[in-house]
Amino acid sequence: MLHKNLIAGEWVAGDASANINPSNTNESVGEYARASADDTRAAIAAAKTAFPAWSRSPILERHAVLKKTGDEIVARKEELGRLLAQEEGKTLPEAIGEVTRAGQIFDFFAGEVLRLSGEILPSVRPGIGVEITREPVGVVGVITPWNFPIAIPAWKIAPALAYGNTVVLKPADLVPGCAWALVDIIHRAGAPAGVINLVMGRGSVVGQTMLDSPDVNALTFTGSVGTGKRVALSSIEHNRKFQLEMGGKNPFVVLDDADLSVTVEAAANSSFFSTGQRCTASSRLIVTEGIHDRFVAALTERMKGLVIDDALKGGTHIGPVVDESQLKQDVEYIDIGRREGAKLAFGGEQLERSTPGFYLQPALFTEATNQMRIAREEIFGPVAAVIRVKDYEEALAVANDTNFGLSSGIATTSLKYATHFKRNSEAGMVMVNLPTAGVDFHVPFGGRKGSSYGPREQGRYAAEFYTSVKTAYTLA
């Protein structure tokens, strides 16, 4: 079966592309159509045509579409979780958790549809009333990455539709399956023709056509820094709203007074789970001298117990790297770390399993410095570097010495240091005695510096991007 693109309410065929399982490269998860530039332009036109009616649709209609979508996602979480694990390589429990989160996101924004509000204020001029309202921005282009193939499309599409926008979705070419399933659910939940459009395919074709279109009124993107800059430049040219999430080099600070068992579990989760393929993952473990050796020994012991295998196998802690290109990048950075003088304390070996796949043992470097490439550049794999520091003050300075600013964490039992770190960490999200990866769906998500640009995603803060403020004056 060929999974087709959805354009103007119709399923449209295109050149077929196989969706390969990274746990077993002999297995194809399915055949998915690749859209052409003309298909993409047709999808944008369909969204533009559908916008006037959808933007003025009754709130109960929009509520019903989002509620039905969320309910079906949750009802099918086992099935969709299996699909996600097969196409992306997350372990099955992680994949089911991600699917559940996608359903919760749609449920949250179904509620937000019924909570749309504005303000009525008196004017400084007698006899005049002032109304402040929010209106949808228009056609929203959505470009999503491969590492969260259903949650990230969900947290962009759900608010876009809730606030009355129409959507053109371009998922990562590597993982079209979950995006196709999500759009199919929204379509069958009653979204009118053209309200949600799916154009799968290459970024150089589909993504570029979206960037070039003057009819895309807002563009939300999660992915690499390089592509994010292209999104920004094209958006400035067309005077469109744009929102960027572009990754991180997240620090996890460990102080002498930390609870070692809690700290090691948080560090292992932050650095290596989901194969390290999370923009919120910790790849810099900044550890003070008094606990350094004990922490490294305990974390190494924890890493020895991690099971790396097929994402669908019971008992697997870490699945494969997503594809050959990403595996090659991870291995190259491990070689770079060695050449820079860091000590490979554990792991970093390519593994063989019962099926051919992209298996990599998580790698832990010690004796790293914050000037090394492995501490400056985003690797996006299960590779972490321990940086030894003298005290809290040095730890904070090293943590903030980065071009990124998405997430950060600290392990400490000191209220003083926890409070100071929360205030002074130059990151959009701060965790205390928790993994740096793992966030709630109803609160803001986003970072600073090179990690993010534009309004926050998720929760009520999503309205900042997906709506435009209008001020109206009326003479009484």
Side-chain angles (χ1 to χ4, degrees):
M1 171 189 169
L2 177 65
H3 296 79
K4 301 177 182 179
N5 291 295
L6 183 67
I7 301 172
E10 301 291 334
W11 294 105
V12 178
D15 294 337
S17 175
N19 188 1
I20 301 300
N21 180 355
S23 293
N24 181 359
T25 56
N26 291 331
E27 178 182 278
S28 171
V29 182
E31 297 286 322
Y32 291 82
R34 277 183 168 158
S36 66
D38 285 343
D39 290 333
T40 308
R41 283 188 281 267
I44 295 168
K48 183 177 181 179
T49 299
F51 174 71
W54 180 250
S55 64
R56 292 169 176 80
S57 60
I59 58 173
L60 278 178
E61 179 182 350
R62 302 208 297 272
H63 168 79
V65 170
L66 270 68
K67 186 70 169 65
K68 288 178 185 176
T69 297
D71 288 347
E72 181 170 340
I73 292 170
V74 173
R76 295 172 57 192
K77 64 183 180 181
E78 303 281 343
E79 170 204 345
L80 295 173
R82 187 175 182 85
L83 170 63
L84 197 161
Q86 284 180 295
E87 74 169 352
E88 196 272 346
K90 272 192 180 75
T91 64
L92 187 57
E94 285 181 318
I96 292 171
E98 181 180 334
V99 171
T100 302
R101 178 178 172 183
Q104 292 167 335
I105 290 166
F106 272 90
D107 184 64
F108 176 86
F109 282 105
E112 285 298 277
V113 174
L114 304 180
R115 291 189 286 267
L116 297 175
S117 62
E119 295 179 81
I120 297 178
L121 301 173
S123 169
V124 295
R125 295 169 288 171
I128 294 175
V130 181
E131 299 170 61
I132 303 169
T133 55
R134 289 188 175 273
E135 296 184 350
V137 295
V139 176
V140 176
V142 174
I143 300 177
T144 57
W146 50 259
N147 61 325
F148 284 87
I150 195 166
I152 292 180
W155 82 48
K156 294 178 185 292
I157 293 170
L161 298 182
Y163 297 119
N165 302 283
T166 54
V167 170
V168 178
L169 168 65
K170 183 241 173 292
D173 195 25
L174 203 56
V175 288
C178 286
W180 188 92
L182 176 59
V183 170
D184 175 58
I185 292 170
I186 298 169
H187 177 58
R188 289 186 291 98
V195 168
I196 178 73
N197 302 272
L198 173 68
V199 277
M200 301 175 288
R202 296 190 184 281
S204 58
V205 177
V206 178
Q208 190 61 50
T209 304
M210 291 170 68
L211 299 191
D212 293 341
S213 175
D215 292 328
V216 175
N217 306 111
L219 212 157
T220 175
F221 167 82
T222 299
S224 70
V225 172
T227 304
K229 288 179 179 178
R230 289 173 56 199
V231 170
L233 289 171
S234 71
S235 296
I236 290 169
E237 180 181 349
H238 293 295
N239 199 31
R240 73 164 69 100
K241 293 183 78 171
F242 63 99
Q243 177 185 58
L244 309 176
E245 289 295 344
M246 299 176 292
K249 196 68 184 172
N250 307 297
F252 184 73
V253 170
V254 180
L255 300 185
D256 287 353
D257 65 359
D259 181 315
L260 192 59
S261 61
V262 170
T263 301
V264 166
E265 200 56 40
N269 184 307
S270 295
S271 301
F272 308 125
F273 282 49
S274 294
T275 325
Q277 296 172 159
R278 299 182 284 193
C279 54
T280 50
S282 292
S283 52
R284 294 186 299 144
L285 305 175
I286 303 167
V287 187
T288 51
E289 289 177 331
I291 198 173
H292 178 277
D293 293 352
R294 287 185 294 130
F295 170 78
V296 170
L299 180 56
T300 301
E301 197 62 31
R302 178 70 176 96
M303 292 174 71
K304 289 178 182 177
L306 295 175
V307 177
I308 298 93
D309 209 329
D310 189 314
L312 292 176
K313 275 190 179 180
T316 296
H317 297 121
I318 297 173
V321 175
V322 71
D323 73 345
E324 186 174 9
S325 174
Q326 185 63 47
L327 177 61
K328 181 180 177 182
Q329 177 172 302
D330 295 347
V331 171
E332 284 178 352
Y333 270 106
I334 292 170
D335 289 340
I336 288 167
R338 284 192 182 110
R339 293 198 302 269
E340 288 182 315
K343 176 186 175 184
L344 184 59
F346 183 82
E349 300 297 322
Q350 294 187 57
L351 304 174
E352 290 188 2
R353 292 295 180 256
S354 59
T355 52
F358 308 113
Y359 298 105
L360 179 66
Q361 190 177 35
L364 181 68
F365 282 99
T366 57
E367 308 310 320
T369 71
N370 205 47
Q371 284 67 50
M372 293 178 176
R373 287 181 63 190
I374 57 170
R376 307 301 299 179
E377 300 170 11
E378 186 174 39
I379 300 170
F380 221 66
V383 182
V386 178
I387 302 170
R388 188 195 302 257
V389 293
K390 181 176 60 176
D391 52 23
Y392 169 74
E393 286 71 26
E394 185 181 359
L396 177 63
V398 170
N400 287 337
D401 180 16
T402 174
N403 293 328
F404 295 100
L406 182 57
S407 184
S408 68
I410 187 169
T412 181
T413 53
S414 164
L415 179 61
K416 170 188 171 183
Y417 288 132
T419 301
H420 190 273
F421 188 80
K422 284 189 289 184
R423 174 64 185 84
N424 292 281
S425 173
E426 295 171 1
M429 298 177 290
V430 182
M431 315 293 183
V432 178
N433 296 321
L434 289 166
T436 55
V439 294
D440 292 348
F441 63 87
H442 68 305
V443 296
F445 177 96
R448 302 179 183 178
K449 299 194 275 191
S451 289
S452 305
Y453 180 88
R456 291 289 189 261
E457 300 197 84
Q458 302 198 74
R460 302 193 74 175
Y461 282 75
E464 296 297 326
F465 179 73
Y466 293 100
T467 64
S468 179
V469 174
K470 175 180 282 184
T471 306
Y473 297 85
T474 303
L475 178 64

